[in-house]
Amino acid sequence: MDVRLTDLGKTGEQPSDARPPAIRTVGLTKAYRGGFWLKRQAASLQDCSLTVQPGETFGLLGPNGAGKTTLLKLLLGIVRPTAGSGELLGVPLGDQPVKQRLGYLPENPYFYDYLTGWEFLAFAAGVFGLSASQRAERIPRLLDLVGLDRTAARKRPLRQYSKGMLQRVGLAQALINDPELVFLDEPMSGLDPLGRYQIREIILSLKAQGKTIFFNSHVLSDVEVICDRVGILAQGTLICVGSLDELLGTACHYRVKGRGGDRKALSAWVNELQIQGDRWHGLLATEPAPFLATLPQLGAELTAMELARPSLEEFFIQQIGKHAAQRPA
């Protein structure tokens, strides 16, 4: 994965501190009308205020129906907000010229399935006004970047592609215009573990190039690896935003597991010591080094040690449950 979009003709950038936020929303709200006379309003997104800086990778998390795709559509100008405002790359939402600087992969993209992968990317390039020479240079590079065979892309129609291959073609078309800001809606959807790893590496390579990436995902382990910051949406409300350290904490304590040793001696080193037969676990009360040096004297063996902070998945479930409990019945 050493193909870089900067090789495709990227222009010079302003310093990051001179650029406006890549994404900024203030009180963004979207309500849909329903009922027999369309008099009942249901809010899909409520009072969403968010800022994403240039070069940042931001992950938006939330259960199904939380409003993640609605927020993406509002940012992209696909639907209009009921209230609130926002900007992309310093210009108001819905501005047409700024879309030349955006890339977008929807969760369930539609393809002209009688086209080959190459023909579809050529069509997408034409939408952005790329010349024939630009297409001839850019399409092979993007195929290499997303891991699709060039020969097969020229000959094989999209209707014969697997779900994972279609996802790769969709990612290539999202990058065809060398965008500054990339929106990805469930980019890992339908991929096997190897495919997820490859897409994750592509996103990390885009991040290394300074591109701003905003994506939704249910795969929280990938979000932990990729994102600078995350936000959690629940029932249309953005309930928390921050870096992993801000949300999960920067715990200096370690959770340790082991076996053997004297219980009384271990309790001086391990808080909340729990013992089951020959095995024990708890929170380390000191720095790891002196404890590890003392273990042989205690007659104990360490089997596991990890930072004592919740995983992103644990934090996510906790926050969703807390928000549900606080909502009026």
Side-chain angles (χ1 to χ4, degrees):
M1 297 297 177
D2 58 352
V3 179
R4 295 173 58 85
L5 288 190
T6 48
D7 296 333
L8 305 184
K10 185 176 179 180
T11 60
E13 297 179 349
Q14 303 175 41
S16 59
D17 59 358
R19 292 180 290 172
I23 300 171
R24 187 176 71 88
T25 68
V26 179
L28 205 60
T29 299
K30 180 62 181 178
Y32 292 96
R33 293 187 177 274
F36 185 77
W37 298 107
L38 298 180
K39 291 184 176 180
R40 179 170 53 84
Q41 284 197 347
S44 180
L45 189 71
Q46 305 176 61
D47 195 27
C48 178
S49 296
L50 175 67
T51 300
V52 177
Q53 297 298 336
E56 190 173 20
T57 300
F58 187 90
L60 185 64
L61 313 176
N64 291 333
K68 301 187 303 297
T69 298
T70 296
L71 176 54
L72 269 183
K73 289 180 177 179
L74 288 167
L75 293 175
L76 290 162
I78 298 173
V79 297
R80 293 183 178 181
T82 306
S85 62
E87 296 178 350
L88 294 183
L89 303 174
V91 298
L93 298 182
D95 180 84
Q96 290 298 319
V98 80
K99 294 183 179 180
Q100 292 283 337
R101 301 157 64 190
L102 308 179
Y104 174 47
L105 171 63
E107 180 178 5
N108 297 302
Y110 175 81
F111 299 101
Y112 298 109
D113 60 5
Y114 58 87
L115 297 177
T116 66
W118 192 290
E119 289 169 338
F120 174 71
L121 292 178
F123 169 77
V127 170
F128 285 101
L130 272 63
S131 67
S133 61
Q134 288 176 311
R135 297 178 208 179
E137 179 184 10
R138 191 163 298 187
I139 291 174
R141 289 178 180 270
L142 285 171
L143 291 171
D144 292 344
L145 179 70
V146 300
L148 288 174
D149 180 77
R150 296 185 186 186
T151 302
R154 282 187 177 276
K155 297 181 178 180
R156 193 173 178 182
L158 292 173
R159 62 175 173 269
Q160 297 179 8
Y161 280 33
S162 67
K163 168 66 174 175
M165 293 173 68
L166 289 174
Q167 196 75 351
R168 294 167 190 272
V169 170
L171 182 56
Q173 69 79 29
L175 302 175
I176 194 70
N177 59 320
D178 190 17
E180 298 174 41
L181 173 56
V182 183
F183 292 95
L184 305 174
D185 196 354
E186 297 292 346
M188 315 296 184
S189 176
L191 299 178
D192 59 21
L194 178 59
R196 278 176 43 207
Y197 168 78
Q198 291 172 332
I199 297 298
R200 189 171 70 228
E201 290 299 299
I202 292 169
I203 295 174
L204 287 172
S205 73
L206 298 175
K207 176 179 177 179
Q209 295 171 39
K211 294 187 181 295
T212 307
I213 304 163
F214 185 101
F215 76 98
N216 300 342
S217 182
H218 287 109
V219 187
L220 301 191
S221 59
D222 290 330
V223 172
E224 283 194 86
V225 174
I226 294 170
C227 291
D228 299 309
R229 289 194 306 142
V230 300
I232 297 179
L233 265 178
Q235 297 174 309
T237 302
L238 189 62
I239 59 176
C240 60
V241 177
S243 68
L244 292 180
D245 283 347
E246 290 170 340
L247 298 179
L248 306 182
T250 55
C252 296
H253 298 296
Y254 290 84
R255 187 170 299 280
V256 291
K257 298 179 181 180
R259 58 188 172 207
D262 179 79
R263 295 187 179 188
K264 185 176 180 180
L266 281 169
S267 64
W269 293 89
V270 181
N271 294 328
E272 302 177 18
L273 182 65
Q274 301 290 321
I275 299 176
Q276 297 175 333
D278 189 44
R279 296 186 177 272
W280 48 265
H281 63 88
L283 293 174
L284 189 58
T286 69
E287 292 296 319
F291 174 68
L292 295 174
T294 308
L295 274 177
Q297 302 171 26
L298 302 178
E301 178 186 354
L302 185 71
T303 59
M305 182 170 69
E306 58 186 10
L307 276 174
R309 79 175 188 180
S311 67
L312 181 57
E313 181 176 0
E314 291 169 335
F315 178 81
F316 173 81
I317 293 171
Q318 179 190 57
Q319 294 300 310
I320 293 296
K322 185 186 297 184
H323 177 76
Q326 292 173 348
R327 285 179 65 88

